[in-house]
Amino acid sequence: MILVTGATGFLGSHVAEALLARGDRVRLLVRRPAAARWLADRGAECVAGDLSSIDTLAEAVRGCRAVIHCAALAFDWGSWEAFQAANDIGVANLLRACSGTSLDRFVHVSTVDVYGYPDRDGLDESTPYRDRGFPYNSTKIAGEKVVWDAINAGFPGVIIRPGSIYGPRSMTFGVEIVEAIRAGAPLIRGGNMNAGLAYVANVVALTLLALEHPAASGQVFHSLDDDGHTWRDYFAAVCGGLDLAMPKRSLPHGIAYALGASMEWIARVRHQTRRPLLTRSAVEMLGTRQGFTMTRAREQLGFAPSVGFDEGVERTIEWLRSRGCGERQ
């Protein structure tokens, strides 16, 4: 039995689907079992709950040989309390529930955002953390440190740090990108920076490889397509596939960052829960080079992404069309 957390989310749903397709017994920790009915219909077992309850987590991990922890709050706006509960305290709770079990492997899905957007090429997994004070960046660092403490104490953990994951069922780099384009959102620095894109099926493939490969235990691996495509490439492909006008405006990084900071300040003053039009972390993600290498996964695990940019974008566009995102408004 393999436990998957976050199985009603983007990456987690693809991980669960892939495990079921290869014949694994799969258990899902889900807050809303109804949202996972399509996976339950394929044979998955569901445990209702979240990362806040040790008792529920203990029930979820009981009898499992492995855990793939995909659950996270992965946004650029929200309360610190919510981010800490999901990305830091939630990780500690899950590891506490795993203590005393006989797990073969615990795969923790992190993010390259833990590096704090260093805006360079050739970055490997030894790049140090950089806490920028952004809720997602900060709490994912904290959650990783909890996992490293367990690994250093002998726990069979593996950490995967994906780049910007896109593909079918992606809201952030699918539906929301289309909405932003339609709203006239500008590119940052012309969109000519390495976007660090990772097609979802490639991230799933590396995650499942890390689940089983003997050399993966105690290691951390980047998961990116490592092809150097830029945000301009991605926006142009999506616009072309959906018959949308390509963004014509471009903001310098400094101006965009200042605007994001101002919009965040206004939103906080107004006690606004809705995401501001622009945030600092969004500017950093879209306007800095995400030059992370895949050398370690290639050399230690023999891994190479199998789905290229053109195919990945085509599949994404097909899904967006199925949601009506290709219709002119």
Side-chain angles (χ1 to χ4, degrees):
M1 181 74 74
I2 300 172
L3 173 67
V4 180
T5 70
T8 56
F10 173 39
L11 177 61
S13 68
H14 282 275
V15 168
E17 187 176 31
L19 288 169
L20 290 167
R22 74 179 198 179
D24 286 291
R25 295 174 61 219
V26 178
R27 181 179 295 159
L28 313 176
L29 177 70
V30 291
R31 286 178 294 180
R32 295 177 296 108
R37 186 172 296 126
W38 67 281
L39 292 167
D41 289 343
R42 299 185 185 192
E45 173 187 330
C46 292
V47 173
D50 58 31
L51 298 172
S52 66
S53 170
I54 297 294
D55 290 341
T56 300
L57 293 173
E59 176 189 351
V61 301
R62 187 175 297 117
C64 290
R65 72 172 182 90
V67 173
I68 302 178
H69 181 43
C70 299
L73 183 57
F75 296 110
D76 61 342
W77 183 252
S79 72
W80 271 96
E81 293 77 11
F83 279 97
Q84 288 172 328
N87 301 341
D88 181 5
I89 298 170
V91 177
N93 288 342
L94 181 57
L95 288 172
R96 192 174 301 120
C98 291
S99 64
T101 64
S102 55
L103 289 180
D104 295 327
R105 194 64 52 90
F106 180 100
V107 181
H108 174 70
V109 179
S110 184
T111 171
V112 296
D113 286 23
V114 297
Y115 301 121
Y117 321 100
D119 198 19
R120 300 195 306 275
D121 292 319
L123 299 163
D124 64 17
E125 289 85 349
S126 68
T127 304
Y129 294 138
R130 184 185 176 203
D131 190 338
R132 298 289 302 277
F134 306 150
Y136 182 61
N137 154 252
S138 296
T139 57
K140 288 299 282 186
I141 290 173
E144 256 208 33
K145 288 180 176 179
V146 172
V147 178
W148 278 121
D149 286 344
I151 290 173
N152 292 333
F155 188 69
V158 182
I159 296 173
I160 305 294
R161 292 176 183 155
S164 298
I165 311 175
Y166 75 100
R169 301 200 288 271
S170 171
M171 298 303 292
T172 303
F173 299 118
V175 175
E176 291 176 10
I177 285 287
V178 172
E179 291 174 350
I181 291 171
R182 284 203 170 108
L187 294 167
I188 311 298
R189 292 174 73 176
N192 295 317
M193 316 305 292
N194 183 342
L197 294 170
Y199 182 66
V200 64
N202 295 332
V203 181
V204 171
L206 178 58
T207 299
L208 299 194
L209 181 60
L211 181 70
E212 311 291 354
H213 201 295
S217 187
Q219 297 291 322
V220 55
F221 300 95
H222 289 159
S223 182
L224 304 103
D225 293 344
D226 204 23
D227 55 13
H229 278 93
T230 66
W231 285 116
R232 177 173 287 276
D233 296 333
Y234 184 69
F235 275 51
V238 170
C239 287
L242 297 178
D243 193 25
L244 299 172
M246 181 71 177
K248 296 180 179 179
R249 294 183 298 142
S250 174
L251 291 176
H253 178 272
I255 293 175
Y257 191 88
L259 282 173
S262 299
M263 291 179 183
E264 287 183 32
W265 181 82
I266 292 170
R268 283 193 295 270
V269 168
R270 293 177 174 175
H271 303 288
Q272 176 179 314
T273 57
R274 180 172 47 86
R275 177 190 181 278
L277 183 63
L278 197 61
T279 65
R280 291 170 297 158
S281 57
V283 170
E284 294 295 76
M285 181 186 63
L286 296 170
T288 59
R289 281 171 291 180
Q290 305 292 309
F292 304 99
T293 71
M294 282 286 290
T295 303
R296 179 176 293 181
R298 293 179 189 277
E299 293 182 351
Q300 295 190 13
L301 306 182
F303 178 80
S306 61
V307 180
F309 178 78
D310 291 341
E311 182 180 355
V313 171
E314 182 178 353
R315 293 182 188 178
T316 305
I317 290 170
E318 288 177 2
W319 178 79
L320 288 167
R321 284 181 183 145
S322 75
R323 289 181 55 93
C325 292
E327 299 172 2
R328 286 188 175 274
Q329 296 181 351

